Amino acid sequence: MTEFENTVAHGLERIAKATSDDDLERLRIEYLGRNSSISQTLSGLAAEPKEKRAEIGKAGNEAKQKIGAALEARAGELAATRMGKLAELEAIDVTFPAPPLDRGHIHVLNQVRSEVETILERLGYQVEEGPEIETDWYCFEALNLPKGHASRDLQETFFLAEDESIVLRTHTSSVQIRAMERLRTPPIFVIAPGRVYRRDNLDATHLPYFMQVEGLAVDEGLTVGDLKGTLLYLVQSLFGPERRVRMRPTYFPYTEPSFEFDTLCGRCGGAGCRSCGNQGWLETGGCGMVHPNVLRNGGLDPDQYTGFAWGFGIERMTLLKYDVEDLRLFYENDLRFNEQF
Ligand code: DAH
């Protein structure tokens, strides 16, 4: 009798101290399992004297019930505590500052494009737009590039019509004539940023489409000096005051004289390094004084007006600014790349 009572008293004490469901399960096995002292005593009843069997059996079952009830009660308490803690943990503090949202931002090429626009707008230029699907006239013919002219081969063209009269524009120079037609009377100071297309194979330095900015200035008395001053202002505003501009004579059908312009290498300051292929200068774009035929095709009198024009690739400008090594990165949209700018 007292043996059961002892066992129960002991058991209840330990159950009250249990802190987890695992504890409780171990106690259940210890007190109620087949090898527990209570179960052992009950299964050994047959060996007890007849008159005592009922009494022991009853006491044993009561002991089991008490322990069982205590286990259940403690399990309930533990669950309640857990829920209480959870409620506390998950309580929302509405005054707590929210973590910053991952916002998108302007792609680096468009950043440079707007920077170029802002810089030139300060000089009085206005932005003109032209179509990416263009006629042969605006893209070539009006720019002093007649059919069969050798320099048409310089640009690998995507033709959109069997007779080659409609093209994907190969350069933003196509906007020059459109701007002269629309604005009609000089001074005309326009820039035309936009996408252009060429049948080039994709590699680290070639893209089948890319972006250019075209510049066109037409007025009375404009000179090569004005052209160079404009390019210098642009390059120094974009890259810093230590960068200089150099012009080398070349040939474009729509300008006379024509130049390629280079920017002083920012890495080595002109001494020559890996970035500039030991040249000290980085090729930047093309430019020149607008050819009289082009002015004429734009409806302007080349005896009264002169003009200068230039064109360069935005990817190339961005590469000069940030030292990016592979043009393809601009279009792959890998966020690890994009997020750096
Ligand atoms: N259209 C030329 C190109 O795509 C760039 C260019 C050269 C534009 C000379 C001009 C220019 O306006 O005068 O490579």
Side-chain angles (χ1 to χ4, degrees):
M1 207 65 47
T2 40
E3 195 197 315
F4 282 140
E5 279 166 8
N6 267 341
T7 308
V8 169
H10 216 210
L12 293 190
E13 218 172 277
R14 292 176 65 198
I15 288 167
K17 286 187 192 145
T19 56
S20 71
D21 287 346
D22 285 348
D23 286 353
L24 290 177
E25 179 58 11
R26 273 190 294 276
L27 290 168
R28 192 189 64 73
I29 291 165
E30 187 176 332
Y31 286 96
L32 304 179
R34 269 200 294 129
N35 295 324
S36 66
S37 65
I38 300 176
S39 299
Q40 292 293 322
T41 308
L42 289 176
S43 52
L45 270 185
E48 297 291 334
K50 234 185 187 158
E51 63 282 9
K52 283 203 165 180
R53 284 182 203 160
E55 210 181 326
I56 297 174
K58 190 168 164 248
N61 283 328
E62 274 173 14
K64 274 190 156 183
Q65 264 164 28
K66 279 183 192 156
I67 300 234
L71 285 169
E72 209 173 296
R74 185 62 189 151
E77 279 172 23
L78 290 178
T81 316
R82 265 200 309 275
M83 293 309 282
K85 277 213 185 109
L86 208 60
E88 220 172 90
L89 279 174
E90 297 198 343
I92 292 171
D93 177 356
V94 293
T95 65
F96 198 76
L101 286 180
D102 232 358
R103 292 215 208 142
H105 69 287
I106 308 279
H107 190 277
V108 62
L109 292 178
N110 282 322
Q111 287 180 36
V112 171
R113 167 189 170 148
S114 359
E115 229 177 302
V116 169
E117 288 176 11
T118 307
I119 292 164
L120 290 164
E121 276 163 359
R122 290 204 292 266
L123 295 184
Y125 284 77
Q126 71 186 72
V127 174
E128 278 287 306
E129 294 204 24
E132 292 176 19
I133 295 174
E134 192 49 285
T135 59
D136 176 274
W137 169 256
Y138 286 111
C139 199
F140 301 125
E141 190 94 24
L143 294 173
N144 206 30
L145 259 148
K147 291 198 178 64
H149 192 291
S151 76
R152 277 203 186 205
D153 297 340
L154 297 177
Q155 295 193 339
E156 290 288 337
T157 310
F158 284 112
F159 293 103
L160 295 185
E162 204 84 37
D163 63 1
E164 305 193 346
S165 60
I166 315 275
V167 302
L168 286 177
R169 68 177 178 195
T170 53
H171 54 183
T172 45
S173 303
S174 59
V175 186
Q176 287 191 19
I177 301 290
R178 289 182 174 276
M180 287 186 254
E181 282 177 348
R182 202 179 74 77
L183 298 165
R184 299 181 68 114
T185 38
I188 292 172
F189 283 78
V190 295
I191 47 172
R195 182 162 283 175
V196 301
Y197 301 81
R198 289 192 196 169
R199 277 176 37 218
D200 269 327
N201 288 325
L202 186 65
D203 63 31
T205 54
H206 295 89
L207 297 166
Y209 58 74
F210 55 100
M211 292 208 287
Q212 285 188 327
V213 182
E214 190 79 10
L216 172 71
V218 185
D219 203 353
E220 288 181 16
L222 291 180
T223 66
V224 175
D226 297 315
L227 167 59
K228 183 160 186 188
T230 305
L231 295 176
L232 187 64
Y233 179 75
L234 174 65
V235 160
Q236 293 189 333
S237 305
L238 268 179
F239 305 132
E242 71 289 352
R243 306 294 280 264
R244 285 187 285 128
V245 166
R246 145 180 117 166
M247 287 156 68
R248 286 175 289 114
T250 187
Y251 171 77
F252 295 110
Y254 27 92
T255 41
E256 181 58 39
S258 303
F259 310 92
E260 289 192 271
F261 69 99
D262 303 333
T263 301
L264 191 69
C265 178
R267 267 251 186 109
C268 61
C273 68
R274 209 175 66 88
S275 264
C276 55
N278 276 321
Q279 298 299 300
W281 295 86
L282 298 150
E283 278 182 34
T284 309
C287 61
M289 300 307 289
V290 181
H291 195 287
N293 287 349
V294 175
L295 289 174
R296 228 172 263 125
N297 288 334
L300 298 175
D301 177 1
D303 291 329
Q304 186 181 357
Y305 299 112
T306 54
F308 59 80
W310 78 88
F312 56 79
I314 295 191
E315 287 77 2
R316 179 129 193 98
M317 283 302 211
T318 309
L319 184 138
L320 295 192
K321 192 172 164 102
Y322 294 113
D323 227 351
V324 174
E325 296 207 337
D326 190 327
L327 286 179
R328 288 169 290 196
L329 289 167
F330 291 129
Y331 288 94
E332 279 168 359
N333 278 329
D334 184 331
L335 286 181
R336 290 169 302 179
F337 174 77
N338 287 359
E339 281 170 354
Q340 297 176 86
F341 306 99

